Amino acid sequence: MKCREFIYDGEPVLQMKEQKYTIFYLQFQKSILSSLKKREFLTDSQYECCIQEIEKQYNKNIYNPIK
């Protein structure tokens, strides 16, 4: 994977509200877990347990959004 560097140029930064970007956060968390599993920092069972937990939280946020 290509390494990227981001440089802040002083422009206003988009504020991401968790409830609005829930799907993005879910996929982001899954990608981090997948990376940890690939590097063998997580076992298969740990990975599956974590995936189940974040999906449970995701479903909770969908049906009970924070106002």
Side-chain angles (χ1 to χ4, degrees):
M1 179 177 278
K2 191 176 194 178
C3 183
R4 295 181 182 180
E5 182 177 316
F6 296 92
I7 300 171
Y8 178 63
D9 63 359
E11 292 291 320
V13 178
L14 173 68
Q15 289 188 349
M16 295 177 64
K17 306 259 188 240
E18 187 171 349
Q19 65 193 47
K20 188 174 180 181
Y21 296 97
T22 308
I23 295 172
F24 169 78
Y25 280 114
L26 174 69
Q27 296 303 323
F28 184 65
Q29 289 173 333
K30 284 183 174 184
S31 68
I32 291 170
L33 290 171
S34 179
S35 175
L36 292 172
K37 180 182 170 192
K38 185 176 180 180
R39 294 188 207 166
E40 298 180 356
F41 288 116
L42 293 177
T43 65
D44 289 338
S45 61
Q46 289 172 323
Y47 172 79
E48 290 301 324
C49 183
C50 290
I51 291 293
Q52 288 174 2
E53 187 61 34
I54 63 171
E55 286 179 345
K56 185 176 16 173
Q57 290 175 9
Y58 168 76
N59 289 331
K60 179 180 170 187
N61 288 338
I62 290 284
Y63 297 114
N64 297 314
I66 300 170
K67 293 183 180 182

